[in-house]
Amino acid sequence: MKAKGWAITLGIGAAAGAVAVMMLPKQSTTRKLVNRAACAVENAASNVSDKLMSKMDM
């Protein structure tokens, strides 16, 4: 499989998973865990972006 197809498949799978998790009740342990994981991924991506931008500004 080419990289483009792999990336598209990964994106579709992530979107389908997100939709499935959003259908869970708000007090669900699984939903809370997924929400925490999503926040951690967002923070990590932000940190990487900040590091790249600071290195480019040097």
Side-chain angles (χ1 to χ4, degrees):
M1 182 182 284
K2 294 183 180 181
K4 183 178 178 183
W6 182 81
I8 291 171
T9 303
L10 182 67
I12 291 171
V19 168
V21 168
M22 293 305 294
M23 295 170 95
L24 294 171
K26 286 189 178 187
Q27 66 273 16
S28 169
T29 305
T30 305
R31 185 170 176 173
K32 290 177 184 177
L33 180 65
V34 169
N35 194 19
R36 280 190 223 130
C39 287
V41 169
E42 184 179 4
N43 289 340
S46 178
N47 289 342
V48 168
S49 176
D50 289 344
K51 284 183 181 181
L52 286 173
M53 292 301 290
S54 68
K55 289 192 182 238
M56 289 174 67
D57 288 339
M58 289 181 142

mmCIF file of all heavy atoms in Angstrom:
data_model
loop_
_atom_site.group_PDB
_atom_site.id
_atom_site.type_symbol
_atom_site.label_atom_id
_atom_site.label_comp_id
_atom_site.label_asym_id
_atom_site.label_seq_id
_atom_site.Cartn_x
_atom_site.Cartn_y
_atom_site.Cartn_z
ATOM 1 N N MET A 1 0.841 -1.165 0.000
ATOM 2 C CA MET A 1 0.000 0.000 0.000
ATOM 3 C C MET A 1 0.893 1.237 0.000
ATOM 4 O O MET A 1 1.859 1.330 0.735
ATOM 5 C CB MET A 1 -0.902 -0.029 1.237
ATOM 6 C CG MET A 1 -1.854 1.131 1.303
ATOM 7 S SD MET A 1 -2.898 1.143 2.782
ATOM 8 C CE MET A 1 -4.049 -0.125 2.355
ATOM 9 N N LYS A 2 0.536 2.187 -0.801
ATOM 10 C CA LYS A 2 1.298 3.423 -0.868
ATOM 11 C C LYS A 2 1.059 4.264 0.393
ATOM 12 O O LYS A 2 0.076 4.083 1.103
ATOM 13 C CB LYS A 2 0.889 4.214 -2.096
ATOM 14 C CG LYS A 2 1.261 3.524 -3.390
ATOM 15 C CD LYS A 2 0.901 4.377 -4.561
ATOM 16 C CE LYS A 2 1.291 3.669 -5.841
ATOM 17 N NZ LYS A 2 0.980 4.457 -7.013
ATOM 18 N N ALA A 3 1.972 5.160 0.645
ATOM 19 C CA ALA A 3 1.888 5.985 1.854
ATOM 20 C C ALA A 3 0.621 6.837 1.867
ATOM 21 O O ALA A 3 0.014 7.042 2.920
ATOM 22 C CB ALA A 3 3.115 6.871 1.967
ATOM 23 N N LYS A 4 0.220 7.330 0.698
ATOM 24 C CA LYS A 4 -0.974 8.167 0.636
ATOM 25 C C LYS A 4 -2.218 7.367 1.032
ATOM 26 O O LYS A 4 -3.044 7.822 1.809
ATOM 27 C CB LYS A 4 -1.142 8.725 -0.774
ATOM 28 C CG LYS A 4 -2.307 9.661 -0.940
ATOM 29 C CD LYS A 4 -2.375 10.203 -2.358
ATOM 30 C CE LYS A 4 -3.560 11.110 -2.552
ATOM 31 N NZ LYS A 4 -3.656 11.573 -3.933
ATOM 32 N N GLY A 5 -2.325 6.169 0.519
ATOM 33 C CA GLY A 5 -3.460 5.314 0.866
ATOM 34 C C GLY A 5 -3.459 4.946 2.333
ATOM 35 O O GLY A 5 -4.514 4.893 2.975
ATOM 36 N N TRP A 6 -2.271 4.701 2.864
ATOM 37 C CA TRP A 6 -2.149 4.358 4.279
ATOM 38 C C TRP A 6 -2.602 5.530 5.144
ATOM 39 O O TRP A 6 -3.323 5.338 6.124
ATOM 40 C CB TRP A 6 -0.701 3.977 4.593
ATOM 41 C CG TRP A 6 -0.490 3.564 5.999
ATOM 42 C CD1 TRP A 6 -0.743 2.347 6.547
ATOM 43 C CD2 TRP A 6 0.023 4.377 7.061
ATOM 44 N NE1 TRP A 6 -0.422 2.346 7.874
ATOM 45 C CE2 TRP A 6 0.052 3.582 8.221
ATOM 46 C CE3 TRP A 6 0.459 5.693 7.147
ATOM 47 C CZ2 TRP A 6 0.492 4.065 9.435
ATOM 48 C CZ3 TRP A 6 0.900 6.168 8.370
ATOM 49 C CH2 TRP A 6 0.912 5.359 9.494
ATOM 50 N N ALA A 7 -2.186 6.742 4.782
ATOM 51 C CA ALA A 7 -2.557 7.930 5.555
ATOM 52 C C ALA A 7 -4.062 8.170 5.502
ATOM 53 O O ALA A 7 -4.680 8.515 6.514
ATOM 54 C CB ALA A 7 -1.805 9.150 5.038
ATOM 55 N N ILE A 8 -4.656 7.966 4.339
ATOM 56 C CA ILE A 8 -6.106 8.151 4.210
ATOM 57 C C ILE A 8 -6.847 7.124 5.061
ATOM 58 O O ILE A 8 -7.805 7.454 5.767
ATOM 59 C CB ILE A 8 -6.533 8.070 2.735
ATOM 60 C CG1 ILE A 8 -6.009 9.302 1.976
ATOM 61 C CG2 ILE A 8 -8.045 7.958 2.587
ATOM 62 C CD1 ILE A 8 -6.181 9.238 0.487
ATOM 63 N N THR A 9 -6.389 5.869 5.011
ATOM 64 C CA THR A 9 -7.004 4.820 5.808
ATOM 65 C C THR A 9 -6.885 5.120 7.295
ATOM 66 O O THR A 9 -7.831 4.925 8.067
ATOM 67 C CB THR A 9 -6.351 3.459 5.485
ATOM 68 O OG1 THR A 9 -6.470 3.218 4.088
ATOM 69 C CG2 THR A 9 -6.995 2.340 6.250
ATOM 70 N N LEU A 10 -5.738 5.602 7.709
ATOM 71 C CA LEU A 10 -5.523 5.960 9.107
ATOM 72 C C LEU A 10 -6.471 7.080 9.532
ATOM 73 O O LEU A 10 -7.075 7.024 10.608
ATOM 74 C CB LEU A 10 -4.069 6.386 9.318
ATOM 75 C CG LEU A 10 -3.655 6.753 10.728
ATOM 76 C CD1 LEU A 10 -3.707 5.519 11.620
ATOM 77 C CD2 LEU A 10 -2.252 7.315 10.721
ATOM 78 N N GLY A 11 -6.632 8.079 8.696
ATOM 79 C CA GLY A 11 -7.533 9.191 9.005
ATOM 80 C C GLY A 11 -8.986 8.758 9.099
ATOM 81 O O GLY A 11 -9.707 9.177 10.007
ATOM 82 N N ILE A 12 -9.407 7.901 8.186
ATOM 83 C CA ILE A 12 -10.788 7.409 8.212
ATOM 84 C C ILE A 12 -11.026 6.576 9.467
ATOM 85 O O ILE A 12 -12.070 6.683 10.121
ATOM 86 C CB ILE A 12 -11.105 6.609 6.936
ATOM 87 C CG1 ILE A 12 -11.147 7.557 5.734
ATOM 88 C CG2 ILE A 12 -12.426 5.857 7.066
ATOM 89 C CD1 ILE A 12 -11.228 6.868 4.400
ATOM 90 N N GLY A 13 -10.072 5.746 9.817
ATOM 91 C CA GLY A 13 -10.202 4.923 11.020
ATOM 92 C C GLY A 13 -10.268 5.769 12.280
ATOM 93 O O GLY A 13 -11.060 5.488 13.187
ATOM 94 N N ALA A 14 -9.444 6.802 12.341
ATOM 95 C CA ALA A 14 -9.463 7.693 13.505
ATOM 96 C C ALA A 14 -10.799 8.427 13.609
ATOM 97 O O ALA A 14 -11.346 8.573 14.707
ATOM 98 C CB ALA A 14 -8.312 8.685 13.427
ATOM 99 N N ALA A 15 -11.315 8.875 12.478
ATOM 100 C CA ALA A 15 -12.603 9.573 12.488
ATOM 101 C C ALA A 15 -13.727 8.638 12.921
ATOM 102 O O ALA A 15 -14.598 9.033 13.708
ATOM 103 C CB ALA A 15 -12.892 10.147 11.103
ATOM 104 N N ALA A 16 -13.709 7.407 12.431
ATOM 105 C CA ALA A 16 -14.745 6.439 12.812
ATOM 106 C C ALA A 16 -14.661 6.131 14.304
ATOM 107 O O ALA A 16 -15.687 6.018 14.983
ATOM 108 C CB ALA A 16 -14.594 5.165 11.993
ATOM 109 N N GLY A 17 -13.454 6.002 14.825
ATOM 110 C CA GLY A 17 -13.274 5.758 16.251
ATOM 111 C C GLY A 17 -13.759 6.922 17.092
ATOM 112 O O GLY A 17 -14.385 6.730 18.139
ATOM 113 N N ALA A 18 -13.492 8.133 16.632
ATOM 114 C CA ALA A 18 -13.935 9.319 17.363
ATOM 115 C C ALA A 18 -15.458 9.392 17.409
ATOM 116 O O ALA A 18 -16.037 9.722 18.444
ATOM 117 C CB ALA A 18 -13.361 10.579 16.717
ATOM 118 N N VAL A 19 -16.098 9.060 16.296
ATOM 119 C CA VAL A 19 -17.558 9.073 16.259
ATOM 120 C C VAL A 19 -18.117 8.029 17.226
ATOM 121 O O VAL A 19 -19.067 8.297 17.966
ATOM 122 C CB VAL A 19 -18.071 8.825 14.823
ATOM 123 C CG1 VAL A 19 -19.562 8.555 14.808
ATOM 124 C CG2 VAL A 19 -17.751 10.018 13.938
ATOM 125 N N ALA A 20 -17.511 6.858 17.245
ATOM 126 C CA ALA A 20 -17.979 5.791 18.139
ATOM 127 C C ALA A 20 -17.834 6.203 19.606
ATOM 128 O O ALA A 20 -18.730 5.963 20.420
ATOM 129 C CB ALA A 20 -17.214 4.506 17.869
ATOM 130 N N VAL A 21 -16.728 6.828 19.952
ATOM 131 C CA VAL A 21 -16.501 7.249 21.336
ATOM 132 C C VAL A 21 -17.462 8.364 21.729
ATOM 133 O O VAL A 21 -17.956 8.399 22.854
ATOM 134 C CB VAL A 21 -15.031 7.685 21.534
ATOM 135 C CG1 VAL A 21 -14.837 8.388 22.853
ATOM 136 C CG2 VAL A 21 -14.121 6.480 21.446
ATOM 137 N N MET A 22 -17.768 9.267 20.803
ATOM 138 C CA MET A 22 -18.682 10.365 21.124
ATOM 139 C C MET A 22 -20.103 9.863 21.379
ATOM 140 O O MET A 22 -20.906 10.562 21.989
ATOM 141 C CB MET A 22 -18.689 11.403 19.997
ATOM 142 C CG MET A 22 -17.371 12.140 19.849
ATOM 143 S SD MET A 22 -16.803 12.938 21.353
ATOM 144 C CE MET A 22 -18.043 14.171 21.577
ATOM 145 N N MET A 23 -20.420 8.648 20.947
ATOM 146 C CA MET A 23 -21.742 8.073 21.183
ATOM 147 C C MET A 23 -21.865 7.479 22.590
ATOM 148 O O MET A 23 -22.967 7.166 23.035
ATOM 149 C CB MET A 23 -22.046 7.018 20.125
ATOM 150 C CG MET A 23 -22.154 7.606 18.726
ATOM 151 S SD MET A 23 -22.223 6.351 17.477
ATOM 152 C CE MET A 23 -23.969 6.190 17.258
ATOM 153 N N LEU A 24 -20.755 7.332 23.286
ATOM 154 C CA LEU A 24 -20.788 6.801 24.647
ATOM 155 C C LEU A 24 -21.323 7.865 25.608
ATOM 156 O O LEU A 24 -21.185 9.058 25.359
ATOM 157 C CB LEU A 24 -19.384 6.393 25.087
ATOM 158 C CG LEU A 24 -18.748 5.220 24.348
ATOM 159 C CD1 LEU A 24 -17.284 5.090 24.750
ATOM 160 C CD2 LEU A 24 -19.499 3.934 24.642
ATOM 161 N N PRO A 25 -21.902 7.452 26.732
ATOM 162 C CA PRO A 25 -22.368 8.435 27.726
ATOM 163 C C PRO A 25 -21.195 9.247 28.287
ATOM 164 O O PRO A 25 -20.066 8.753 28.372
ATOM 165 C CB PRO A 25 -22.984 7.569 28.825
ATOM 166 C CG PRO A 25 -23.143 6.210 28.268
ATOM 167 C CD PRO A 25 -22.196 6.088 27.117
ATOM 168 N N LYS A 26 -21.465 10.486 28.678
ATOM 169 C CA LYS A 26 -20.399 11.370 29.166
ATOM 170 C C LYS A 26 -19.718 10.835 30.412
ATOM 171 O O LYS A 26 -18.545 11.071 30.624
ATOM 172 C CB LYS A 26 -20.943 12.766 29.437
ATOM 173 C CG LYS A 26 -21.222 13.530 28.181
ATOM 174 C CD LYS A 26 -21.550 14.968 28.477
ATOM 175 C CE LYS A 26 -21.768 15.711 27.181
ATOM 176 N NZ LYS A 26 -21.939 17.132 27.368
ATOM 177 N N GLN A 27 -20.419 10.111 31.255
ATOM 178 C CA GLN A 27 -19.828 9.590 32.482
ATOM 179 C C GLN A 27 -19.110 8.266 32.266
ATOM 180 O O GLN A 27 -18.563 7.694 33.200
ATOM 181 C CB GLN A 27 -20.880 9.454 33.589
ATOM 182 C CG GLN A 27 -21.960 8.433 33.330
ATOM 183 C CD GLN A 27 -23.136 8.980 32.552
ATOM 184 O OE1 GLN A 27 -23.059 10.039 31.946
ATOM 185 N NE2 GLN A 27 -24.234 8.255 32.553
ATOM 186 N N SER A 28 -19.061 7.781 31.039
ATOM 187 C CA SER A 28 -18.401 6.515 30.718
ATOM 188 C C SER A 28 -16.891 6.608 30.974
ATOM 189 O O SER A 28 -16.240 7.589 30.590
ATOM 190 C CB SER A 28 -18.647 6.158 29.256
ATOM 191 O OG SER A 28 -17.828 5.100 28.852
ATOM 192 N N THR A 29 -16.348 5.594 31.626
ATOM 193 C CA THR A 29 -14.909 5.555 31.905
ATOM 194 C C THR A 29 -14.114 5.551 30.609
ATOM 195 O O THR A 29 -13.083 6.223 30.509
ATOM 196 C CB THR A 29 -14.569 4.295 32.728
ATOM 197 O OG1 THR A 29 -15.387 4.290 33.895
ATOM 198 C CG2 THR A 29 -13.111 4.284 33.134
ATOM 199 N N THR A 30 -14.599 4.829 29.624
ATOM 200 C CA THR A 30 -13.902 4.759 28.335
ATOM 201 C C THR A 30 -13.839 6.122 27.677
ATOM 202 O O THR A 30 -12.799 6.526 27.158
ATOM 203 C CB THR A 30 -14.608 3.757 27.400
ATOM 204 O OG1 THR A 30 -14.696 2.499 28.058
ATOM 205 C CG2 THR A 30 -13.870 3.609 26.101
ATOM 206 N N ARG A 31 -14.956 6.843 27.687
ATOM 207 C CA ARG A 31 -14.971 8.172 27.068
ATOM 208 C C ARG A 31 -14.025 9.123 27.788
ATOM 209 O O ARG A 31 -13.318 9.909 27.157
ATOM 210 C CB ARG A 31 -16.389 8.727 27.063
ATOM 211 C CG ARG A 31 -16.482 10.049 26.333
ATOM 212 C CD ARG A 31 -17.891 10.484 26.107
ATOM 213 N NE ARG A 31 -17.920 11.801 25.488
ATOM 214 C CZ ARG A 31 -19.006 12.367 25.053
ATOM 215 N NH1 ARG A 31 -20.153 11.756 25.136
ATOM 216 N NH2 ARG A 31 -18.959 13.559 24.515
ATOM 217 N N LYS A 32 -14.001 9.059 29.116
ATOM 218 C CA LYS A 32 -13.098 9.917 29.881
ATOM 219 C C LYS A 32 -11.640 9.599 29.557
ATOM 220 O O LYS A 32 -10.808 10.504 29.398
ATOM 221 C CB LYS A 32 -13.346 9.753 31.378
ATOM 222 C CG LYS A 32 -14.668 10.331 31.837
ATOM 223 C CD LYS A 32 -14.886 10.082 33.313
ATOM 224 C CE LYS A 32 -16.242 10.566 33.768
ATOM 225 N NZ LYS A 32 -16.490 10.277 35.183
ATOM 226 N N LEU A 33 -11.323 8.309 29.446
ATOM 227 C CA LEU A 33 -9.959 7.893 29.134
ATOM 228 C C LEU A 33 -9.545 8.369 27.745
ATOM 229 O O LEU A 33 -8.441 8.894 27.553
ATOM 230 C CB LEU A 33 -9.845 6.367 29.229
ATOM 231 C CG LEU A 33 -8.479 5.762 28.944
ATOM 232 C CD1 LEU A 33 -7.481 6.207 29.997
ATOM 233 C CD2 LEU A 33 -8.577 4.249 28.919
ATOM 234 N N VAL A 34 -10.436 8.217 26.776
ATOM 235 C CA VAL A 34 -10.138 8.656 25.406
ATOM 236 C C VAL A 34 -9.971 10.171 25.358
ATOM 237 O O VAL A 34 -9.096 10.688 24.662
ATOM 238 C CB VAL A 34 -11.234 8.169 24.435
ATOM 239 C CG1 VAL A 34 -11.102 8.820 23.077
ATOM 240 C CG2 VAL A 34 -11.199 6.660 24.309
ATOM 241 N N ASN A 35 -10.783 10.889 26.123
ATOM 242 C CA ASN A 35 -10.673 12.342 26.156
ATOM 243 C C ASN A 35 -9.322 12.770 26.726
ATOM 244 O O ASN A 35 -8.674 13.681 26.205
ATOM 245 C CB ASN A 35 -11.821 12.940 26.966
ATOM 246 C CG ASN A 35 -11.956 14.420 26.768
ATOM 247 O OD1 ASN A 35 -11.451 14.974 25.806
ATOM 248 N ND2 ASN A 35 -12.656 15.072 27.684
ATOM 249 N N ARG A 36 -8.879 12.100 27.799
ATOM 250 C CA ARG A 36 -7.564 12.411 28.383
ATOM 251 C C ARG A 36 -6.450 12.111 27.387
ATOM 252 O O ARG A 36 -5.484 12.868 27.273
ATOM 253 C CB ARG A 36 -7.340 11.625 29.660
ATOM 254 C CG ARG A 36 -8.035 12.234 30.842
ATOM 255 C CD ARG A 36 -7.587 11.561 32.135
ATOM 256 N NE ARG A 36 -8.786 11.356 32.946
ATOM 257 C CZ ARG A 36 -9.138 10.227 33.524
ATOM 258 N NH1 ARG A 36 -8.378 9.168 33.423
ATOM 259 N NH2 ARG A 36 -10.240 10.152 34.216
ATOM 260 N N ALA A 37 -6.575 10.990 26.682
ATOM 261 C CA ALA A 37 -5.560 10.620 25.690
ATOM 262 C C ALA A 37 -5.515 11.646 24.558
ATOM 263 O O ALA A 37 -4.437 12.025 24.093
ATOM 264 C CB ALA A 37 -5.841 9.232 25.131
ATOM 265 N N ALA A 38 -6.680 12.111 24.125
ATOM 266 C CA ALA A 38 -6.732 13.119 23.063
ATOM 267 C C ALA A 38 -6.073 14.420 23.512
ATOM 268 O O ALA A 38 -5.348 15.060 22.743
ATOM 269 C CB ALA A 38 -8.177 13.368 22.648
ATOM 270 N N CYS A 39 -6.300 14.796 24.758
ATOM 271 C CA CYS A 39 -5.663 16.013 25.290
ATOM 272 C C CYS A 39 -4.147 15.850 25.345
ATOM 273 O O CYS A 39 -3.400 16.786 25.022
ATOM 274 C CB CYS A 39 -6.218 16.342 26.671
ATOM 275 S SG CYS A 39 -7.896 16.981 26.644
ATOM 276 N N ALA A 40 -3.693 14.671 25.739
ATOM 277 C CA ALA A 40 -2.250 14.421 25.807
ATOM 278 C C ALA A 40 -1.620 14.480 24.418
ATOM 279 O O ALA A 40 -0.535 15.051 24.240
ATOM 280 C CB ALA A 40 -1.982 13.064 26.447
ATOM 281 N N VAL A 41 -2.296 13.922 23.425
ATOM 282 C CA VAL A 41 -1.780 13.964 22.048
ATOM 283 C C VAL A 41 -1.748 15.402 21.541
ATOM 284 O O VAL A 41 -0.784 15.828 20.897
ATOM 285 C CB VAL A 41 -2.630 13.068 21.122
ATOM 286 C CG1 VAL A 41 -2.291 13.310 19.664
ATOM 287 C CG2 VAL A 41 -2.428 11.607 21.471
ATOM 288 N N GLU A 42 -2.789 16.163 21.841
ATOM 289 C CA GLU A 42 -2.835 17.563 21.417
ATOM 290 C C GLU A 42 -1.697 18.364 22.053
ATOM 291 O O GLU A 42 -1.039 19.164 21.389
ATOM 292 C CB GLU A 42 -4.181 18.172 21.786
ATOM 293 C CG GLU A 42 -4.359 19.585 21.295
ATOM 294 C CD GLU A 42 -5.720 20.167 21.641
ATOM 295 O OE1 GLU A 42 -6.499 19.497 22.340
ATOM 296 O OE2 GLU A 42 -5.984 21.299 21.214
ATOM 297 N N ASN A 43 -1.454 18.137 23.346
ATOM 298 C CA ASN A 43 -0.361 18.831 24.028
ATOM 299 C C ASN A 43 0.994 18.446 23.444
ATOM 300 O O ASN A 43 1.867 19.307 23.256
ATOM 301 C CB ASN A 43 -0.391 18.530 25.523
ATOM 302 C CG ASN A 43 -1.545 19.197 26.221
ATOM 303 O OD1 ASN A 43 -2.117 20.161 25.720
ATOM 304 N ND2 ASN A 43 -1.915 18.664 27.371
ATOM 305 N N ALA A 44 1.182 17.165 23.142
ATOM 306 C CA ALA A 44 2.451 16.711 22.568
ATOM 307 C C ALA A 44 2.667 17.331 21.189
ATOM 308 O O ALA A 44 3.776 17.780 20.867
ATOM 309 C CB ALA A 44 2.469 15.192 22.473
ATOM 310 N N ALA A 45 1.615 17.375 20.382
ATOM 311 C CA ALA A 45 1.730 17.977 19.050
ATOM 312 C C ALA A 45 2.044 19.464 19.155
ATOM 313 O O ALA A 45 2.856 19.997 18.384
ATOM 314 C CB ALA A 45 0.443 17.761 18.267
ATOM 315 N N SER A 46 1.446 20.124 20.126
ATOM 316 C CA SER A 46 1.714 21.546 20.334
ATOM 317 C C SER A 46 3.164 21.773 20.762
ATOM 318 O O SER A 46 3.821 22.701 20.279
ATOM 319 C CB SER A 46 0.767 22.102 21.384
ATOM 320 O OG SER A 46 1.042 23.451 21.635
ATOM 321 N N ASN A 47 3.661 20.909 21.643
ATOM 322 C CA ASN A 47 5.048 21.037 22.094
ATOM 323 C C ASN A 47 6.021 20.825 20.943
ATOM 324 O O ASN A 47 7.008 21.561 20.805
ATOM 325 C CB ASN A 47 5.338 20.035 23.206
ATOM 326 C CG ASN A 47 4.655 20.399 24.503
ATOM 327 O OD1 ASN A 47 4.248 21.539 24.692
ATOM 328 N ND2 ASN A 47 4.508 19.420 25.377
ATOM 329 N N VAL A 48 5.761 19.834 20.099
ATOM 330 C CA VAL A 48 6.633 19.574 18.944
ATOM 331 C C VAL A 48 6.596 20.761 17.995
ATOM 332 O O VAL A 48 7.635 21.200 17.497
ATOM 333 C CB VAL A 48 6.208 18.271 18.225
ATOM 334 C CG1 VAL A 48 6.890 18.135 16.883
ATOM 335 C CG2 VAL A 48 6.509 17.072 19.094
ATOM 336 N N SER A 49 5.408 21.290 17.761
ATOM 337 C CA SER A 49 5.270 22.452 16.880
ATOM 338 C C SER A 49 6.039 23.650 17.432
ATOM 339 O O SER A 49 6.734 24.351 16.687
ATOM 340 C CB SER A 49 3.795 22.803 16.724
ATOM 341 O OG SER A 49 3.637 23.961 15.961
ATOM 342 N N ASP A 50 5.923 23.886 18.733
ATOM 343 C CA ASP A 50 6.644 24.996 19.356
ATOM 344 C C ASP A 50 8.154 24.825 19.232
ATOM 345 O O ASP A 50 8.879 25.782 18.939
ATOM 346 C CB ASP A 50 6.261 25.130 20.828
ATOM 347 C CG ASP A 50 4.847 25.646 21.019
ATOM 348 O OD1 ASP A 50 4.269 26.190 20.048
ATOM 349 O OD2 ASP A 50 4.319 25.488 22.137
ATOM 350 N N LYS A 51 8.642 23.603 19.436
ATOM 351 C CA LYS A 51 10.076 23.346 19.325
ATOM 352 C C LYS A 51 10.565 23.572 17.902
ATOM 353 O O LYS A 51 11.627 24.169 17.688
ATOM 354 C CB LYS A 51 10.400 21.917 19.757
ATOM 355 C CG LYS A 51 10.391 21.708 21.236
ATOM 356 C CD LYS A 51 10.781 20.301 21.601
ATOM 357 C CE LYS A 51 10.746 20.082 23.102
ATOM 358 N NZ LYS A 51 11.136 18.739 23.491
ATOM 359 N N LEU A 52 9.786 23.101 16.924
ATOM 360 C CA LEU A 52 10.181 23.298 15.523
ATOM 361 C C LEU A 52 10.204 24.783 15.167
ATOM 362 O O LEU A 52 11.124 25.240 14.494
ATOM 363 C CB LEU A 52 9.233 22.557 14.594
ATOM 364 C CG LEU A 52 9.386 21.048 14.534
ATOM 365 C CD1 LEU A 52 8.267 20.431 13.710
ATOM 366 C CD2 LEU A 52 10.727 20.663 13.949
ATOM 367 N N MET A 53 9.193 25.512 15.612
ATOM 368 C CA MET A 53 9.131 26.941 15.308
ATOM 369 C C MET A 53 10.287 27.689 15.963
ATOM 370 O O MET A 53 10.870 28.579 15.357
ATOM 371 C CB MET A 53 7.795 27.526 15.760
ATOM 372 C CG MET A 53 6.613 27.018 14.951
ATOM 373 S SD MET A 53 6.743 27.366 13.197
ATOM 374 C CE MET A 53 6.522 29.121 13.188
ATOM 375 N N SER A 54 10.633 27.318 17.188
ATOM 376 C CA SER A 54 11.733 28.012 17.862
ATOM 377 C C SER A 54 13.068 27.713 17.183
ATOM 378 O O SER A 54 13.932 28.589 17.089
ATOM 379 C CB SER A 54 11.786 27.642 19.342
ATOM 380 O OG SER A 54 12.163 26.293 19.501
ATOM 381 N N LYS A 55 13.237 26.488 16.677
ATOM 382 C CA LYS A 55 14.477 26.155 15.976
ATOM 383 C C LYS A 55 14.543 26.862 14.624
ATOM 384 O O LYS A 55 15.628 27.229 14.175
ATOM 385 C CB LYS A 55 14.608 24.659 15.795
ATOM 386 C CG LYS A 55 14.892 23.949 17.092
ATOM 387 C CD LYS A 55 15.308 22.526 16.878
ATOM 388 C CE LYS A 55 15.521 21.895 18.236
ATOM 389 N NZ LYS A 55 16.820 21.374 18.414
ATOM 390 N N MET A 56 13.396 27.066 13.989
ATOM 391 C CA MET A 56 13.386 27.752 12.710
ATOM 392 C C MET A 56 13.656 29.247 12.891
ATOM 393 O O MET A 56 14.210 29.882 12.004
ATOM 394 C CB MET A 56 12.039 27.544 12.014
ATOM 395 C CG MET A 56 11.842 26.130 11.517
ATOM 396 S SD MET A 56 10.213 25.836 10.859
ATOM 397 C CE MET A 56 10.207 26.865 9.417
ATOM 398 N N ASP A 57 13.273 29.803 14.024
ATOM 399 C CA ASP A 57 13.478 31.214 14.293
ATOM 400 C C ASP A 57 14.933 31.541 14.641
ATOM 401 O O ASP A 57 15.341 32.695 14.583
ATOM 402 C CB ASP A 57 12.572 31.683 15.427
ATOM 403 C CG ASP A 57 11.119 31.753 14.992
ATOM 404 O OD1 ASP A 57 10.862 31.827 13.771
ATOM 405 O OD2 ASP A 57 10.235 31.709 15.878
ATOM 406 N N MET A 58 15.701 30.527 15.029
ATOM 407 C CA MET A 58 17.094 30.775 15.445
ATOM 408 C C MET A 58 17.941 31.211 14.278
ATOM 409 O O MET A 58 17.895 30.980 13.213
ATOM 410 C CB MET A 58 17.698 29.532 16.065
ATOM 411 C CG MET A 58 17.131 29.222 17.404
ATOM 412 S SD MET A 58 17.923 27.768 18.069
ATOM 413 C CE MET A 58 18.045 28.228 19.763
#
